[in-house]
């Protein structure tokens, strides 16, 4: 395919995995038994993506409790009254809060990547939580004997180690999930929090070589949990100039769900610089309707009027199930949408004579 197309990350967990998670939480299923069901779900995910013709695979986050909190699994020293994320439909997600240090990841994404790569010879992409998201764990009142500066230093070291571990494990791409970028402008319209987020992420990204950063990417969206968003009402104009300061080679941008895609594409074109690729979202995971390949084709051609084809790629707007308990989209529907993305991108490439 002359226009690359990649999934973002999470996919709905299989019914068998959903049941296993419930049984495990109730103490009726062992850790080993749960891991076995998760492994089967990973294998099924890789196989279905391969059969659809996806040139880049993901494990669908089948082993993660969420794309945000997986490094915290088993971490002692967490409270329950952290930052609350409100969604447009009224539901919320609440982060834990750190109560002591030093901060260390308990799980690194390379463990998921190695398990997936053991099951396929095709390229596998690995998503990781951006350090900016985990910076929200530190309480506003501080922690005795563990300053915010010390925490951010530990966080940067942990994030670097995770990304480097994924690169060393052979990731086709390592994608930092930065959904908190647009949300930050809702929490702080001045942009100060967003500037801090970008600075922290760049502190980590700056530890990698130019060749390594070519294999790194950043994904942003306004949320896609339980078929609802947390910041779609925030103007992209406040995010994009700061987003493109991030020193990565690839950007994955939600676009299909935007009410005025042409306006956003013009903004993207204004920020475009040589040596980067922009993957535009052509599938809306929270829309229950499956897009047709022709609709996808037209969205790609629309983007190609603003972004040079050699810097253009396609993706889904977001993951389909960022939290393991999100059952708002069926697994079959998600794969049908991915199929439409792949076929529509091929149609666009043909129309462009590529």
């Amino acid at each position: 395919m002359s226009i690359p197309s990649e999934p973002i990350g999470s996919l709905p967990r299989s019914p068998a995995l959903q049941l296993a998670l419930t049984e495990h939480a109730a103490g009726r299923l062992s850790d080993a038994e749960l891991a076995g069901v998760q492994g089967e779900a990973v294998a099924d995910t890789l196989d279905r993506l391969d059969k659809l013709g996806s040139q880049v695979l993901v494990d669908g986050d089948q082993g993660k409790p969420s794309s945000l909190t997986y490094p915290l699994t088993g971490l002692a020293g967490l409270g329950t009254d952290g930052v609350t994320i409100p969604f447009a439909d009224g539901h919320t997600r609440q982060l834990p809060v750190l109560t002591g240090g030093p901060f260390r990841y308990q799980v690194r994404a390379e463990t998921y990547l190695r398990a997936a790569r053991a099951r396929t010879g095709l390229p596998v992409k690995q998503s990781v939580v951006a350090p900016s998201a985990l910076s929200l764990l530190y309480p506003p009142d501080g922690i005795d004997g563990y300053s915010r500066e010390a925490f951010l230093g530990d966080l940067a070291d942990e994030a670097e180690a995770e990304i480097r571990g994924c690169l060393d494990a052979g990731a086709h791409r390592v994608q930092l999930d930065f959904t908190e970028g647009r949300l930050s402008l809702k929490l702080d319209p001045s942009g100060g929090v967003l500037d801090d987020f970008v600075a922290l992420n760049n502190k980590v990204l700056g530890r990698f070589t130019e060749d390594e950063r070519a294999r790194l990417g950043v994904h942003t969206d306004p949320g896609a949990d339980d078929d609802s968003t947390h910041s779609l009402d925030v103007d992209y104009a406040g995010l994009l100039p700061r987003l493109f300061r991030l020193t990565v080679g690839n950007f994955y941008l939600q676009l299909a769900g935007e009410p005025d895609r042409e306006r956003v594409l013009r903004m993207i074109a204004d920020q475009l610089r040589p040596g980067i690729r922009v993957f535009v979202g052509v599938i809306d995971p929270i829309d229950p309707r499956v897009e047709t390949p022709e609709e996808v084709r037209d969205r790609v051609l629309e983007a190609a009027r603003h972004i040079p084809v050699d810097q253009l790629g396609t993706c889904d707007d977001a993951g389909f199930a960022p939290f393991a308990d999100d059952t708002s989209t069926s697994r079959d529907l998600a794969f049908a949408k991915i199929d439409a993305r792949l076929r529509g991108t091929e149609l666009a490439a043909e129309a462009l004579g590529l």
Side-chain angles (χ1 to χ4, degrees), residues 150-164:
F151 163 70
L152 291 177
D154 287 340
L155 173 58
D157 290 344
E158 291 295 299
E160 177 194 0
E162 176 173 60
I163 296 168
R164 199 169 296 285

Side-chain angles (χ1 to χ4, degrees), residues 44-94:
D44 179 68
T45 300
L46 297 171
D47 182 60
R48 294 182 71 167
L49 288 173
D50 184 9
K51 287 179 178 177
L52 291 178
S54 184
Q55 299 300 303
V56 176
L57 309 185
V58 293
D59 73 353
D61 287 353
Q62 302 299 288
K64 289 181 179 178
S66 83
S67 58
L68 179 59
T69 61
Y70 67 89
L72 311 179
T73 304
L75 179 64
L78 288 177
T80 59
D81 54 344
V83 173
T84 298
I85 303 172
F87 286 80
D89 66 354
H91 88 275
T92 62
R93 295 285 186 178
Q94 188 169 28

Side-chain angles (χ1 to χ4, degrees), residues 160-215:
E160 177 194 0
E162 176 173 60
I163 296 168
R164 199 169 296 285
C166 290
L167 291 175
D168 291 345
H172 168 75
R173 194 97 66 208
V174 181
Q175 171 192 288
L176 279 70
D177 289 330
F178 188 48
T179 187
E180 68 278 6
R182 199 161 172 179
L183 177 63
S184 71
L185 290 171
K186 196 168 192 173
L187 304 175
D188 174 23
S190 75
V193 171
L194 178 55
D195 287 337
D196 289 344
F197 282 173
V198 170
L200 174 60
N201 291 337
N202 269 342
K203 177 181 178 180
V204 174
L205 295 168
R207 301 178 181 185
F208 294 88
T209 67
E210 184 175 352
D211 286 345
E212 289 170 332
R213 288 197 296 270
R215 293 170 58 195

